[in-house]
C-alpha cells in the first residue's frame, strides 16, 4: 500500500528584496516627455512654453534620479508568532493591496508608516503569490485569539 508523506502544517518564511523599479522610471520619463510636448503644443507664447517644457523634463529627470537612488530593502515575513521585519525594523501591521499588476504593501511600525510598491519587474508572479499568502497568514495568525474566551 502506498504511503503518503505528511505535508507541513506551517509555511516557510517569506523573504524578499525590494529594489526600485525600472518600469516606474520609464513611466516617469514618458510622463515628463509628454508634459514637455504638451507645454510646447499649448497656446502659451514660445518664451514661456520653452522653459515650461524644460522644467517638465528636468522634474522627471530629478524624480527618476531620486527613485533609482533609493536603497534596497529586505522584507522578512516569518511564521505567525514572530513579527514581520523590514531591514530589521519590527513591523506592527501589514496590509497588501493588489491593483492589477501592481502590489502595494503598506506597513506600520509604531508611529512610522510606509509602503512598498512592487511592479511586475521587481516581483515575479510566483513571488507575488507567496507574498499574498504570507501576509494573509501572518495577519490572521497575529490577530487570532489562541484560547477560547
Amino acid at each position: 500500500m502506498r504511503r503518503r508523506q505528511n505535508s507541513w502544517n506551517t509555511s516557510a518564511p517569506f523573504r524578499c528584496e525590494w529594489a526600485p523599479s525600472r518600469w516606474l522610471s520609464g513611466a516617469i520619463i514618458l510622463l515628463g516627455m509628454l508634459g514637455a510636448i504638451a507645454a510646447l503644443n499649448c497656446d502659451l507664447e514660445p518664451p514661456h512654453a520653452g522653459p515650461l517644457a524644460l522644467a517638465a523634463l528636468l522634474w522627471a529627470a530629478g524624480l527618476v534620479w531620486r527613485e533609482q537612488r533609493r536603497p534596497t530593502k529586505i522584507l522578512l515575513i516569518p511564521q505567525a508568532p514572530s513579527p514581520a521585519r523590514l531591514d530589521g525594523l519590527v513591523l506592527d501591521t501589514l496590509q497588501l493591496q493588489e491593483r492589477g499588476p501592481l502590489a502595494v504593501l503598506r506597513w506600520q511600525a509604531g508611529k512610522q508608516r510606509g509602503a512598498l510598491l512592487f511592479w511586475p519587474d521587481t516581483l515575479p508572479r510566483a513571488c507575488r503569490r507567496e507574498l499574498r499568502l504570507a501576509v494573509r497568514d501572518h495577519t490572521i495568525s497575529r490577530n487570532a485569539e489562541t484560547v477560547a474566551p
Side-chain angles (χ1 to χ4, degrees), residues 18-35:
W18 178 89
S21 172
R22 293 181 304 223
W23 287 19
L24 177 60
S25 298
I28 292 171
I29 290 171
L30 178 64
L31 286 174
M33 290 183 348
L34 291 174

Side-chain angles (χ1 to χ4, degrees), residues 84-144:
R85 295 181 180 273
L86 180 67
D87 283 342
L89 178 67
V90 176
L91 304 179
D92 297 330
T93 60
L94 289 176
Q95 180 184 12
L96 183 67
Q97 297 175 337
E98 294 187 85
R99 302 286 185 246
L102 302 177
V104 181
L105 180 70
R106 298 187 191 281
W107 55 268
Q108 181 176 357
K111 292 185 179 182
Q112 289 183 328
R113 293 176 183 231
L116 296 177
L117 179 62
F118 291 99
W119 284 68
D121 67 330
T122 59
L123 191 66
R125 180 174 274 178
C127 291
R128 180 187 181 102
R129 182 175 186 277
E130 289 178 21
L131 174 63
R132 184 182 327 121
L133 293 174
V135 169
R136 185 187 68 191
D137 290 344
H138 195 266
T139 304
I140 290 171
S141 298
R142 299 240 333 151
N143 294 336

Side-chain angles (χ1 to χ4, degrees), residues 13-82:
F14 176 79
R15 184 180 172 90
C16 175
E17 183 174 306
W18 178 89
S21 172
R22 293 181 304 223
W23 287 19
L24 177 60
S25 298
I28 292 171
I29 290 171
L30 178 64
L31 286 174
M33 290 183 348
L34 291 174
I37 291 170
L40 293 173
N41 287 333
C42 70
D43 286 337
L44 283 176
E45 298 175 7
H48 299 294
L52 184 61
L54 182 63
L57 290 173
L58 290 176
W59 187 270
L63 287 176
V64 167
W65 181 76
R66 188 178 81 188
E67 180 66 26
Q68 289 301 313
R69 289 184 45 100
R70 290 177 69 180
T72 60
K73 298 183 182 293
I74 304 294
L75 174 66
L76 176 65
I77 304 176
Q79 296 173 357
S82 303

